Amino acid sequence: MNEIKGRVINVSNRLPVLIRKYAGGARLERSSGGLATALEAGWRDQPGVWIGWAGTGPDENIEPLLLRAAHRRSYTLRSVALTEEETAKFYSGFANEIIWPLFHDMPSRCNFDPEYWEIYQRVNRKFAKVVAETAQEDDFIWVHDYHLMLTAASLKEAGVRARMGFFLHIPFPSPDVFEKLPWKKPILKSLLEFDVIGFQGDRDRSNFVSCLERLLPEATVERGSPHLLVGLEERRSVVGTFPIGIDFEAFGRDAARPEIAAHAAEIRKRVSDDVLVLGVDRLDYTKGIPERLKSFRLLLRRFPEMRGHITLVQVVVPSREEIPNYKHLRREVELLVSQINGEYTEPGWVPVHYIHRNLGRDELLAYYRAADIGLVTPLKDGMNLVAKEFCAAQIDERGVLIVSEFAGAGPELRSGAIVVNPNDFAEVAQALYDAAHMTAEDKRSRIRLLRQIVKDHNVHRWIRSFLEAIPSSDRTKGGPVGDSWSPPTPSKDRPGQKMPGVALVASALSPPGRPRYAMGKDAKLRVMSSAAGED
Ligand code: ADP
Ligand code: F6P
């Protein structure tokens, strides 16, 4: 039984809002990134508390702005202030100069500064202190992402007895990569203090288990269905795969608004009335933006007849600008854009339109609707919600998705998308050519299939399936591993059911069946089977 009697307390490095200072004061902005987008959409109308950083330091009085932000939400917002040193060494340093590149299989980009580790531990204790002040025993504490991997241990030291879960929004690397981390064992051990540990994909989960086998051989791993049970000393944790999704209905509904359609038509008129290709990303080296631009350049070289008829709109939201790797990336991207435009622009046609700013939701929806091809080619990505948002917004059923095989969304969407290796510029160029020449009927059947998958694997289902994996408190300690473990009983999914409030959520909702999809010979959607376990 996994009923949550109290509240759900979400804990993430970022709150869904960011307080940005400017000369005349401060204003609220929407946080960018998949975690904030998904959790905010999934948690809409639910009570509870969200604890995180609003981008501000300890001396700032942000309470009035936070209260204003909370006014429009069903849950309370509680901020953790970070000093300048903590922002530099915990957020930019340990989280984004060590864990981010390492977990995305890019160890050569890591800066293993030992001071970062000291501050990472300190800030994890700081977050834990705020959570400890807030949580009661019957609450469920749900910690998100790689910034906060040590919090469960600190919470326990502070005497917190509530059950705790952790979800990793980014990939988990293989043992050969993970073992480069000087602090690998304390991190693994701290993760095993959580009652539930969730990953985006089966590969991430199996990498985690392989790391345990290599680095903590005393841990035991038992295969339940659908999740694993890992034991270490007196503790045990449920370890599962929970692919994140978006609020499909809300995206589709908002994309259908007449003003969005009008804005999309305006974009097409001004940018291109021929093939419009769209890339939307945080400006991050994991997103493969230079590689994408080089692929687009190759397309223009290899297929001269496409010149003047295909336009790439690349939207990037500025991100982590204090970190040297990100500064270099911006220069590299801007140089490539200007080289391509310098080489190929003709009167009436500019090959690459480059937008470097955070778009409002309506503007983003208009771009999704205007696009003929969604080009989502990260070198590595936990999931990639842009791919799913593009599908959801395709209410006209005419867009083609090209997606990287190295995004979490790649395997999930492979049956309707064109799947590419982003390092293979010729393959990406060919995929663009093929997508531009695809028949309307082929496009329609593919995007229908994709929209069905995105609709099924939505953010509400992600939340439900994670909360349902929480074991009852007596199952997480004592006794030999497996003695008291039994897998959650499957029940029928109830799509569209409104969550009855966090206190009831886990007991009232069902585990996800995972339908399998395939394109039939006639390219029509077939749902092959429905299985509650792993693929
Ligand atoms: P990540 O979490 O690594 O940033 P995701 O693709 O999972 O990657 O999520 C990115 C989120 O940020 C999406 O919800 C997307 O809509 C949003 N986003 C990306 N670029 C922009 C932009 N320029 N303006 C507004 N939102 C953006
Ligand atoms: O979704 C992955 C993620 O790393 C989140 O954890 C993070 O909040 C987001 O991308 C955006 O990054 P940042 O918080 O560094 O701006």
Side-chain angles (χ1 to χ4, degrees), residues 26-133:
R27 64 168 181 265
L28 282 170
E29 279 182 18
R30 176 169 80 101
S31 291
S32 66
L35 184 161
T37 316
L39 204 56
E40 167 119 277
W43 220 256
R44 193 173 297 135
D45 305 331
Q46 304 302 324
V49 186
W50 190 333
I51 296 173
W53 179 48
T56 51
D59 301 328
E60 294 160 56
N61 176 18
I62 58 166
E63 271 318 304
L65 278 174
L66 273 191
L67 278 173
R68 198 198 307 161
H71 191 63
R72 288 182 286 112
R73 293 175 164 85
S74 53
Y75 44 83
T76 315
L77 297 174
R78 188 147 182 206
S79 96
V80 179
L82 296 183
T83 64
E84 268 178 36
E85 185 191 38
E86 288 166 349
T87 305
K89 294 177 182 166
F90 154 77
Y91 168 69
S92 296
F94 198 84
N96 288 319
E97 285 186 61
I98 299 179
I99 301 295
W100 179 268
L102 191 75
F103 281 30
H104 285 86
D105 287 346
M106 300 181 183
S108 62
R109 289 186 183 265
C110 292
N111 173 9
F112 292 110
D113 185 334
E115 225 189 317
Y116 290 174
W117 170 239
E118 295 307 317
I119 307 296
Y120 184 74
Q121 295 173 88
R122 186 169 100 196
V123 174
N124 269 253
R125 284 196 295 272
K126 186 173 188 170
F127 269 82
K129 185 164 175 282
V130 177
V131 178
E133 287 162 8

Side-chain angles (χ1 to χ4, degrees), residues 14 143-144 146 149 177 238 303 364 394 422 430 489 533:
R14 275 203 195 278
V143 178
H144 297 263
Y146 59 99
M149 293 187 285
V177 174
V238 174
F303 302 102
L364 186 63
Q394 287 299 315
Q430 186 64 49
T489 320

Side-chain angles (χ1 to χ4, degrees), residues 170-197:
I170 66 172
F172 197 90
S174 69
D176 287 349
V177 174
F178 184 76
E179 71 179 1
K180 296 184 196 305
L181 187 62
W183 311 281
K184 55 201 170 219
K185 283 197 186 178
I187 287 182
L188 283 181
K189 283 191 173 165
S190 297
L191 285 173
L192 291 179
E193 295 284 343
F194 286 99
D195 301 312
V196 190
I197 304 164

Side-chain angles (χ1 to χ4, degrees), residues 30 33-34 37 280-282 287 315-317 357-359 364 368 384-386 389:
R30 176 169 80 101
T37 316
V280 174
D281 310 82
R282 269 187 316 103
K287 302 292 179 183
V315 187
V316 295
V317 60
R357 61 167 187 271
N358 202 342
L359 299 186
L364 186 63
Y368 282 143
N384 197 294
L385 293 184
V386 167
E389 292 171 2

